[in-house]
Amino acid sequence: MTDDDPATTPTDIDDGLVDAIAYQIARLTKLRDRTNAQISALTAGEIEPAAFSILFQLIHGGPKRSGALAEDLYSDASTISRQVAGLVKRGLIERRADPADGRASVLDVTDAGRTVAAQIRARRNDSLRGMLTDWAPAERESFAALLHRFVDGYEETRQRMLADIAAHRDLNSYYEPAESNS
């Protein structure tokens, strides 16, 4: 439902519009993946952009166990483990005894990690400012609000999508044509 038309249902939204949005999301995903691979290649693996999300998560969420970090970042434990190892090796994060359970460890950002995160944030923000420089202030504010709403909606919808896929024992039944809204 929308504020404009409270009677709107998902099937009322035009396929062409949904296709256009899906195309732009796929395009953005591919651009980000390619850019991250190029950054990694240009720095001989010294900078792995995906690993830096760990720094920001720890800065904003505080020290946490590796498993909780993987959950928060929607990642698998082996990926987080590999990325954490690289960040520990560079001295950007450290392992500490978990105050709640001394047998376990938590990950935390070091002072060097905070410095690097601040540099990354400044570069990222400069890039985004460059992209948004010819947008009107109201457009930037609207985009930020709509993007936040979209990502929240994606986060809520993904659970239903995954459950729906898991409910189909064979993918052919999952991909049977849905009812058309046209």
Side-chain angles (χ1 to χ4, degrees):
M1 288 195 224
T2 67
D3 293 337
D4 300 0
D5 179 7
T8 299
T9 65
T11 57
D12 292 337
I13 302 171
D14 178 67
D15 280 341
L17 177 63
V18 174
D19 287 342
I21 292 168
Y23 175 78
Q24 293 305 323
I25 291 168
R27 185 173 160 229
L28 177 61
T29 300
K30 289 175 193 273
L31 280 166
R32 284 190 47 88
D33 289 349
R34 183 66 183 139
T35 301
N36 287 346
Q38 289 171 317
I39 289 169
S40 187
L42 287 170
T43 63
E46 202 43 39
I47 297 175
E48 186 179 351
F52 289 111
S53 61
I54 292 171
L55 283 178
F56 292 105
Q57 186 66 37
L58 292 173
I59 287 170
H60 295 290
K64 58 185 67 185
R65 291 184 183 186
S66 185
L69 188 60
E71 236 178 78
D72 290 346
L73 293 171
Y74 304 104
S75 193
D76 63 90
S78 63
T79 299
I80 293 297
S81 178
R82 178 180 50 79
Q83 292 172 338
V84 161
L87 293 170
V88 168
K89 183 178 177 182
R90 292 186 62 200
L92 302 179
I93 63 173
E94 62 187 358
R95 297 178 198 277
R96 294 189 194 156
D98 185 339
D101 179 358
R103 297 169 296 172
S105 65
V106 293
L107 303 165
D108 199 5
V109 181
T110 64
D111 289 341
R114 290 182 191 285
T115 299
V116 167
Q119 293 167 347
I120 292 167
R121 179 179 179 262
R123 286 190 182 114
R124 179 205 60 204
N125 288 358
D126 285 347
S127 292
L128 286 170
R129 280 186 189 96
M131 288 179 236
L132 299 169
T133 193
D134 63 345
W135 292 33
E139 289 175 316
R140 292 189 291 258
E141 289 174 24
S142 178
F143 178 70
L146 290 170
L147 184 59
H148 187 272
R149 184 175 169 190
F150 180 83
V151 173
D152 283 351
Y154 185 90
E155 189 170 29
E156 291 171 19
T157 303
R158 75 183 273 281
Q159 292 302 327
R160 288 191 303 272
M161 175 183 64
L162 294 171
D164 188 33
I165 291 171
H168 291 83
R169 296 225 182 258
D170 77 87
L171 286 180
N172 288 335
S173 67
Y174 178 75
Y175 287 112
E176 287 176 357
E179 288 184 34
S180 176
N181 66 348
S182 49

